[in-house]
Amino acid sequence: EVQLVESGGGLVQPGGSLRLSCATSGFPFSIYGLSWVRQAPGKGLEWVSTINGDGGSTNYPDSVKGRFTVSRDKDKKTLYLQMNNLKPEDTAVFYCARAFSGGFDYWGQGTQVTVSS
């Protein structure tokens, strides 16, 4: 059974940092690309980052480029998102998702990130 379980969310002040984790199981970790996707209150889903199977390639939208860093640990089968210089507009539920055929086929349950003073 494929499982993705996020953790690491919380309340942080503007300018602060958080690191999200996504523990995975049930599939060959190094084969699949993995992504982070977020949903702000009252808004649609926004793609945040993608990392390929071997971790050698990453992509980000302009909204987080230079502030967020995605990485993966093949021994721990875990995906990470280091978020620095957080802004109130980063407030959202963050999901990890497995990339498949141009989309995503499995999702975690999400972790809440709130950026507020």
Side-chain angles (χ1 to χ4, degrees):
E1 178 187 9
V2 174
Q3 289 191 324
L4 300 97
V5 181
E6 302 95 336
S7 61
L11 174 64
V12 62
Q13 293 187 341
S17 297
L18 277 177
R19 188 177 81 153
L20 306 183
S21 300
C22 173
T24 74
S25 60
F27 64 96
F29 183 75
S30 296
I31 290 179
Y32 288 88
L34 294 168
S35 295
W36 288 97
V37 180
R38 68 185 178 185
Q39 186 166 30
K43 297 190 177 180
L45 295 170
E46 178 189 17
W47 165 71
V48 172
S49 64
T50 295
I51 186 167
N52 71 340
D54 67 10
S57 177
T58 58
N59 286 287
Y60 308 89
D62 288 344
S63 59
V64 307
K65 195 174 294 183
R67 299 189 298 123
F68 290 9
T69 303
V70 63
S71 62
R72 61 194 295 162
D73 184 325
K74 62 180 177 60
D75 294 326
K76 296 182 178 179
K77 298 185 178 181
T78 298
L79 174 73
Y80 300 100
L81 184 68
Q82 177 67 44
M83 305 185 294
N84 298 328
N85 190 22
L86 282 161
K87 305 175 181 180
E89 52 263 43
D90 293 317
T91 294
V93 177
F94 282 70
Y95 300 91
C96 61
R98 193 178 77 169
F100 181 76
S101 191
F104 308 109
D105 59 353
Y106 287 93
W107 297 72
Q109 84 289 350
T111 187
Q112 176 70 47
V113 172
T114 302
V115 184
S116 175
S117 56

